[in-house]
Amino acid sequence: MTTQTKSSVLSTGGGARLLDPADTVVLLLDHQSGLFQTVKDIPVADLRRNVEMIAKLCTLLKIPVITTASEPAGSNGPLMPEIHQAAPHAVYVPRKGEVNAWDNEDFVAQVRSTGRKTLVMAGVWTSVCVMFPALDAVAAGYDVYAVIDASGDPSEMASRVSVARFVQGGVKPTSSNALLSELHRTWARPEAAELAQLYGQVAPNYAAVAESYARAQQAARDAL
C-alpha cells in the first residue's frame, strides 16, 4: 500500500510507515490447546494474554479478524476460546488438513473478501503456522506483519531462526505492545480508557503505573 492512499497518514507525514487500521486484517492461526503444550520460547500465560489483547483491540477498533485451526479434533486441540469471546466478529475458517493456511482456498478467499492488503499474523508455531502463510501472502502482494510475542515455538532457537527468515522474506516482525501502540496512535480518541486497559493487559507493569496515577489524582481531589 502506498503512503498516498493510507487514510492514517497525517499532514506531518506521521504514519507513513505505520499500520493503517482501515487497511488491516488480523489473522490468528492455530492457537490450539495441544500446540500450547509445546511452546518453550515464551511463557504460555503471556502468549495467551497477548492474543486475547489483540482480539479485544480488533473489536474496539473494528478491525476484521480471521481465525483457523489445523486438525482441531486431533492432538493439536481446539482453539483457545478467549479469541472468539473477545472478538465475536471474528470469522473462523476450517481447514481440510493443510498445515499451511494459505494452501486452503476458503481461507485465502476469506482474506481477499476483506479487500484489505495489510495482514497482521500470529500463531503457534511461529516457524510453521505463521511462517508459511506469511511468506506466501508476501508473494501474493500483501504487506505482512508477524506478532512474535503472540506466537510461540518449541524453542528459542526456532523463534530466532523464524525472525531471521521473516526479515529475509519481507515479513515485518513486531510485538503485541507495538501493535497496540501503532493502531492506537493518539490518546485523543473516545476509546482512550479502553485502550489504557489493554496496555495494562499486554504490559502488567503499566497497569500498576496507571493505578498509582489514579490514586494520586483522587488524593489530590480529596485534598481540595
Side-chain angles (χ1 to χ4, degrees):
M1 184 177 205
T2 62
T3 57
Q4 288 80 5
T5 60
K6 281 189 174 183
S7 62
S8 57
V9 178
L10 304 181
S11 59
T12 61
R17 297 298 297 272
L18 301 181
L19 287 163
D20 178 1
D23 187 56
T24 298
V25 55
V26 171
L27 312 180
L28 299 178
L29 312 166
D30 304 335
H31 289 97
Q32 298 170 249
S33 60
L35 292 177
F36 278 134
Q37 297 177 51
T38 71
V39 170
K40 300 300 179 185
D41 63 323
I42 180 174
V44 172
D46 293 348
L47 169 55
R48 294 181 72 120
R49 187 173 63 246
N50 291 340
V51 173
E52 182 181 3
M53 185 284 294
I54 292 172
K56 291 178 178 178
L57 175 65
C58 291
T59 297
L60 189 62
L61 301 186
K62 298 179 174 59
I63 293 172
V65 178
I66 301 171
T67 67
T68 187
S70 62
E71 295 295 334
S75 59
N76 288 357
L79 281 175
M80 57 179 281
E82 297 94 323
I83 295 175
H84 283 264
Q85 290 169 359
H89 68 295
V91 176
Y92 173 75
V93 179
R95 304 210 300 274
K96 304 177 182 69
E98 302 93 342
V99 172
N100 177 4
W102 211 260
D103 286 346
N104 183 279
E105 293 181 358
D106 294 335
F107 181 82
V108 175
Q110 185 63 43
V111 173
R112 289 174 177 161
S113 73
T114 67
R116 301 184 177 210
K117 297 294 289 183
T118 303
L119 308 183
V120 174
M121 300 188 184
V124 182
W125 298 322
T126 316
S127 56
V128 177
C129 305
V130 183
M131 179 70 69
F132 299 168
L135 294 177
D136 280 342
V138 169
Y142 290 88
D143 191 19
V144 183
Y145 292 74
V147 190
I148 305 303
D149 62 351
S151 307
D153 247 329
S155 70
E156 291 185 10
M157 174 64 75
S159 183
R160 290 197 298 270
V161 171
S162 297
V163 171
R165 192 175 177 194
F166 281 143
V167 174
Q168 290 174 333
V171 178
K172 302 175 179 69
T174 190
S175 66
S176 300
N177 191 61
L179 177 67
L180 170 56
S181 299
E182 201 164 341
L183 293 173
H184 168 193
R185 291 290 293 278
T186 176
W187 288 107
R189 57 187 304 160
E191 309 93 346
E194 292 93 334
L195 288 164
Q197 292 179 352
L198 295 186
Y199 279 104
Q201 183 169 347
V202 75
N205 288 342
Y206 182 85
V209 170
E211 183 179 348
S212 295
Y213 176 77
R215 286 201 302 267
Q217 292 293 98
Q218 184 61 50
R221 287 192 293 270
D222 293 343
L224 292 178

